[in-house]
Amino acid sequence: MLSIICPLYNEQAAVEPFFARLLPSLAAAGEPFEILCIDDGSQDDTLGALRRAQQDCAAIRIVELSRNFGKESALTAGLDLARGDAVIPIDVDLQDPPELIPELVAKWRQGYEVVLARRSDRTSDSWLKRQSAEVFYRLHNRIGEVPLPDNVGDFRLLDRAVVAAVRQLPERRRFMKGLFAWVGFRTTTVAYTRAPRSAGHSKFNGWRLWNFALEGITSHSTVPLRIWTYGGALVAGLAFCYGLFITLRTLVVGVDMPGYASLMTAVLFLGGVQLIGIGVLGEYLGRLYLESKQRPLYLIRAIHDTDSREP
């Protein structure tokens, strides 16, 4: 059986066109399926749209979270509740085409445990988004402990063994792309062209994407901490050399009056370097603080099955 995981947040307008394309694609895949729709605390009528779709398809299971926990937590909830032998996360905005699912399943049948859907053409995204994504992947893969496949989002097929491995990872601050890459397993790739959104708008603005990138880097690399160790040693070495130069010049030519501008420049520069270093330390310390609380990643308000049983 296939489990399709769909995290949703304020996607009322996208629900109907999504199922209109998803259901024929699943039928073409030739496997029994369930569709797990994770309503991540939507404020519009997303839940109502899902309940209406459920009346026409008994395979739809709706998981209503108690509030908005974020996409990574909603995706984790789907992985925890999925019952299929293979799991496919997909967004409902139709930028990732459901028609690719039969091809993902075919690769899985060939023995691959992870089938990645790689965006070979992202012209539907803005130039800034494409460039920032390229910079992020290049930076992450240079300093991260496990490289991320570039231009690959959450849309992929995961074998049940892979899902079980991901569920063993206990961290609360989750960067799912990094976790998927970390567990490994036999992997292949299928390319596709990324389409424009079918309805609504992206929930990730520039600020959230920036914080998401920081989350990805700090989740899987300690290189930023090491950089400030080397940076501090470099600044200390330069300061020692400059102090030695001042001492020798004073012995040779006598004492002169140092300039106020150069002094303030040095003080402000070093102060700025120290604050940035403290900020990097704070980022990692904040992760430790949040991990130590051991709070659940999500809370479920209700599960809406076709038999109307709700916990």
Side-chain angles (χ1 to χ4, degrees):
M1 185 172 71
L2 300 178
S3 291
I4 309 301
I5 300 177
C6 312
L8 300 97
Y9 178 64
N10 293 344
E11 296 285 3
Q12 171 187 350
V15 170
E16 184 176 348
F18 172 71
F19 282 111
R21 288 177 55 181
L22 176 66
L23 295 177
S25 300
L26 290 174
E31 301 281 356
F33 60 87
E34 66 171 357
I35 305 173
L36 272 170
C37 298
I38 316 298
D39 181 22
D40 189 22
S42 296
Q43 302 299 311
D44 61 1
D45 193 36
T46 295
L47 181 59
L50 291 174
R51 295 301 297 268
R52 290 189 290 273
Q54 191 179 50
Q55 294 175 1
D56 299 325
C57 179
I60 296 176
R61 300 172 62 204
I62 304 169
V63 180
E64 184 185 357
L65 301 187
S66 62
R67 65 170 177 83
N68 178 242
F69 288 90
K71 184 180 178 182
E72 308 298 280
S73 294
L75 184 54
T76 301
L79 293 175
D80 289 342
L81 296 171
R83 300 176 295 194
D85 302 293
V87 173
I88 302 177
I90 185 172
D91 293 334
V92 301
D93 56 16
L94 293 178
Q95 288 194 280
D96 302 326
E99 291 79 9
L100 199 66
I101 290 176
E103 190 171 351
L104 300 180
V105 173
K107 292 290 186 182
W108 174 55
R109 287 171 177 159
Q110 294 174 15
Y112 292 101
E113 294 153 312
V114 178
V115 186
L116 304 176
R118 184 178 181 274
R119 304 157 183 168
S120 59
D121 186 343
R122 299 188 60 173
T123 53
S124 61
D125 293 332
S126 67
W127 178 87
L128 181 60
K129 188 172 184 179
R130 294 197 305 270
Q131 294 303 310
S132 59
E134 181 179 350
V135 170
F136 167 73
Y137 282 113
R138 187 177 303 170
L139 176 62
H140 184 283
N141 291 344
R142 185 174 294 272
I143 68 175
E145 60 180 33
V146 178
L148 294 179
D150 62 314
N151 288 318
V152 174
D154 295 322
F155 185 36
R156 64 188 70 202
L157 182 145
L158 305 171
D159 185 81
R160 166 55 58 182
V162 183
V163 174
V166 172
R167 292 182 62 190
Q168 292 180 42
L169 305 180
E171 53 254 56
R172 265 59 182 170
R173 298 295 297 271
R174 301 173 77 82
F175 179 66
M176 298 305 294
K177 297 180 184 64
L179 298 183
F180 291 149
W182 187 88
V183 297
F185 289 88
R186 191 180 179 202
T187 303
T188 189
T189 302
V190 173
Y192 73 99
T193 299
R194 188 167 171 82
R197 253 184 168 269
S198 63
H201 60 277
S202 175
K203 310 307 182 294
F204 281 91
N205 54 31
W207 179 248
R208 292 192 65 185
L209 285 173
W210 167 257
N211 287 326
F212 189 60
L214 287 180
E215 187 75 26
I217 291 172
T218 55
S219 292
H220 296 275
S221 176
T222 58
V223 170
L225 292 173
R226 196 172 303 128
I227 287 174
W228 288 106
T229 301
Y230 292 129
L234 176 63
V235 171
L238 292 175
F240 175 79
C241 292
Y242 183 68
L244 184 60
F245 168 74
I246 293 296
T247 301
L248 293 175
R249 190 180 67 172
T250 301
L251 293 175
V252 174
V253 300
V255 180
D256 61 350
M257 182 65 68
Y260 174 79
S262 60
L263 177 63
M264 287 302 299
T265 299
V267 170
L268 293 174
F269 171 74
L270 292 176
V273 169
Q274 291 171 346
L275 289 174
I276 294 174
I278 291 172
V280 174
L281 289 171
E283 185 71 28
Y284 284 90
L285 183 61
R287 294 184 64 84
L288 289 174
Y289 170 68
L290 293 172
E291 291 289 342
S292 68
K293 292 182 177 183
Q294 295 291 295
R295 290 177 179 172
L297 288 169
Y298 57 86
L299 296 173
I300 296 177
R301 181 179 179 273
I303 297 180
H304 306 275
D305 285 323
T306 51
D307 58 6
S308 299
R309 290 179 302 173
E310 300 178 8

